[in-house]
Amino acid sequence: MRLSRHSLRIAAVAFAAAVLVSCGGKSGDPEVPPLPTATPRGSTATAAASPTPSPSPTPDPAVERQHVIDAASAALDGALHISPLTLPACLDGNPERKPCIELKSEPDQLVRGLARFNMGDPDGGGATFLMGRMAGGDWAFWQGSQQQSYVLDALPGDLIACGTDEPATIRSSPAPEAAVIRSLDDLTELTADGFTLTRAGNYAVQGERGEGWYHVTDPVEGWIDAIFTTDAVLGDCLLHDAIEGVDRG
């Protein structure tokens, strides 16, 4: 197996199936290591604090697009960016049979700090993975999978809160030690308009997902760790809980 996959959304399943057919894939998907469970995070005081502003949009989306493509290629060991992504295009000029990737996020989504890619392997298999922009402006791998996921991968968008071993919280900045602005009940609706990656993941055999935070504007402005959220289109926390091993009794 060339690469590991963690867990992403329903669109990844359809894409993976298409790539397996178009690439003349092997029978059966490559082994997919389990997604790491949430790392416990310490609680902090609930004193209010002014939230850090959302990431500023880049003045040149075309430059940002090239930056994230270059970073994604490096993260996947020199993957080739092909658009549209097809088997013939992936094999052309690719004697090492490196994986091929295609950026799917629009420029107006990239400026919000989150980018979605499709990936196809000439030897069979496909996945979707996410890149996030870090505070310094660099892009890095966040997480990816061949499987269904609860993650919101396009911004702006809607979330719902899903606690883990502690309640979901909105904080003043994207850090677990930042002041708590509000604690949230499960299924609280949230509006997200930005994303910051605070710890890069690793797309490798024994790789792991990184840590990312959504900037939210409703019900209050602040930041929420992505581990405490699910895409609102799912309507509940069931998939989130299954992946994260949460038992609500």
Side-chain angles (χ1 to χ4, degrees):
M1 181 182 72
R2 185 188 301 274
L3 299 168
S4 69
R5 287 86 171 154
H6 304 307
S7 283
L8 262 187
R9 59 183 301 123
I10 298 171
V13 179
F15 173 73
V19 174
L20 283 167
V21 173
S22 66
C23 290
K26 305 168 186 174
S27 60
D29 290 339
E31 179 185 354
V32 182
L35 187 69
T37 57
T39 301
R41 293 164 171 79
S43 60
T44 61
T46 57
S50 299
T52 302
S54 57
S56 299
T58 175
D60 191 341
V63 172
E64 197 77 351
R65 180 178 185 275
Q66 192 58 53
H67 283 169
V68 71
I69 289 173
D70 291 345
S73 176
L76 272 69
D77 192 28
L80 306 178
H81 184 261
I82 305 291
S83 184
L85 180 54
T86 65
L87 174 60
C90 184
L91 292 175
D92 185 25
N94 187 13
E96 297 181 0
R97 302 180 72 86
K98 289 183 176 292
C100 296
I101 60 176
E102 181 180 14
L103 175 62
K104 303 303 291 184
S105 299
E106 297 297 329
D108 60 339
Q109 296 173 340
L110 294 180
V111 299
R112 298 179 184 275
L114 190 60
R116 178 172 63 91
F117 284 81
N118 286 345
M119 185 280 289
D121 191 324
D123 295 325
T128 295
F129 67 94
L130 298 177
M131 301 287 290
R133 188 171 56 201
M134 306 192 79
D138 292 336
W139 288 88
F141 177 80
W142 179 23
Q143 59 173 293
S145 178
Q146 295 174 310
Q147 303 172 4
Q148 181 179 353
S149 172
Y150 62 82
V151 178
L152 174 66
D153 62 12
L155 295 171
D158 296 322
L159 300 161
I160 55 177
C162 297
T164 57
D165 55 342
E166 58 182 290
T169 52
I170 297 176
R171 296 180 181 268
S172 60
S173 63
E177 66 274 9
V180 173
I181 295 175
R182 180 179 295 185
S183 292
L184 304 172
D185 293 331
D186 289 340
L187 304 182
T188 299
E189 296 180 354
L190 306 159
T191 301
D193 69 347
F195 180 86
T196 290
L197 188 67
T198 55
R199 180 174 57 81
N202 181 18
Y203 207 88
V205 174
Q206 297 299 324
E208 61 179 358
R209 64 179 173 183
E211 183 175 313
W213 294 67
Y214 292 104
H215 181 265
V216 297
T217 58
D218 186 71
V220 294
E221 184 177 9
W223 294 85
I224 186 167
D225 191 333
I227 202 72
F228 294 128
T229 70
T230 189
D231 190 338
V233 72
L234 296 174
D236 56 42
C237 297
L238 293 178
L239 181 59
H240 169 276
D241 293 354
I243 291 174
E244 299 302 333
V246 177
D247 182 3
R248 300 186 190 278

